[in-house]
Amino acid sequence: MAVPLAFDLVGDWTSARLMVRMVMLGDSPWDVLAAGFTHRDTGERVTLAMGPPQPALARAIAAGVDPARPTLDERLLEEVTAHRSVVVVADPTGADPQRRAETLLRAAGQIVNGGALAARCRSSGLAHGADGLHALVQRLDEADPDVLVEAYVRFDTDPASARTWGMHALGLPDLAFRVNPGPDRARAALEAEALAWARSAGTTETGTPDDADPEDPR
C-alpha cells in the first residue's frame, strides 16, 4: 500500500478541542469544517486527525533530522519525546502533485502556528522543527522554487544506497546513483539533480509512489 502524502506533527495539546482552538487563534485563513481543514480563500483542503502520543514517532523524528540543515536540537528533541498528542495532516486536494505538496505544507504550517513542536514527512521520513517548517512555509509564500525539495525530500548518502527518498511527493521518481561518487560528493550531486527535476517538473515524466512503510520509509 502506498504511503499517503502526509505530515505527522507532535505537540502538547491535551484534547482535540484545545488543538483546534489554538490552530484557529489569530488571523488564520483555515477553517476546521466537516469537509476537512479548508482554506477559506483558495478552497484548498486537507484531512486533519488527532491521536495519542507515539513514542515510535518521536524516535523517527529524531532519526529524520537532515544533518545538512538540522532544525531540531537536543532541547527540542527532548520536548518531542515528551509530546502528548499527534496531529496528522494528509490527503491534500488537487490534481497537480506540486500544488498538492504546497497545500499540505501550508496546512502543516498552520498546525505549527497552533503549537506543534515538530513535523515529519511521512513519505520520506524527513523531520523539521517548528521554526524550520515555519521558515519553509514563508519561502513557499515567496515562490522559492526549491522549497518543496527541502520540505519533502531526504538525501541518503550511505555508500550502499546513496539516493533520494520522497521525490514522489512532487510527482517525480526518486534518484539513485549507478556508481556512488562517495559521501562527500553524493549529497551535493543528489540535491542538485533533485532541484533541477523539481524546477522542470512540467516537462518530466510523473513518478509512481513507492510502497515504503510509514514507520520506516526505507
Side-chain angles (χ1 to χ4, degrees):
M1 181 178 178
V3 178
L5 190 58
F7 278 107
D8 298 307
L9 299 104
V10 298
D12 289 329
W13 311 285
T14 54
S15 69
R17 185 182 297 274
L18 176 61
M19 182 271 293
V20 170
R21 183 176 178 182
M22 292 181 68
V23 167
M24 304 312 297
L25 283 175
D27 191 24
S28 171
W30 293 84
D31 293 322
V32 181
L33 306 174
F37 193 39
T38 305
H39 195 291
R40 72 171 65 95
D41 298 323
T42 65
E44 294 170 286
R45 188 170 67 249
V46 297
T47 62
L48 198 63
M50 185 175 182
Q54 299 178 24
L57 177 58
R59 293 191 294 270
I61 287 174
V65 176
D66 185 345
R69 298 187 184 91
T71 60
L72 289 102
D73 57 17
E74 289 187 10
R75 180 194 60 78
L76 185 53
L77 286 172
E78 289 178 359
E79 293 184 38
V80 167
T81 299
H83 73 278
R84 296 182 179 183
S85 50
V86 176
V87 170
V88 180
V89 181
D91 303 322
T93 55
D96 179 84
Q98 293 212 5
R99 300 294 81 77
R100 294 179 73 243
E102 291 175 1
T103 295
L104 186 70
L105 182 57
R106 287 194 183 96
Q110 191 61 49
I111 304 301
V112 164
N113 291 343
L117 300 167
R120 177 178 182 264
C121 176
R122 187 176 293 187
S123 55
S124 68
L126 183 63
H128 307 283
D131 289 346
L133 193 133
H134 180 71
L136 290 170
V137 175
Q138 287 187 314
R139 288 173 54 197
L140 178 63
D141 292 339
E142 295 165 0
D144 185 329
D146 299 335
V147 67
L148 293 181
V149 170
E150 293 186 29
Y152 287 94
V153 180
R154 182 167 61 89
F155 298 94
D156 186 349
T157 57
D158 186 281
S161 59
R163 56 162 292 173
T164 65
W165 297 94
M167 288 287 286
H168 68 261
L170 313 182
L172 298 166
D174 273 302
L175 307 169
F177 286 108
R178 289 191 177 92
V179 178
N180 191 336
D184 293 338
R185 297 178 58 192
R187 167 66 188 240
L190 282 170
E191 187 165 11
E193 192 69 15
L195 291 172
W197 275 60
R199 290 169 183 166
S200 60
T203 60
T204 56
E205 182 178 345
T206 300
T208 301
D210 59 33
D211 292 329
D213 185 328
E215 293 301 325
D216 182 7
R218 299 185 57 179

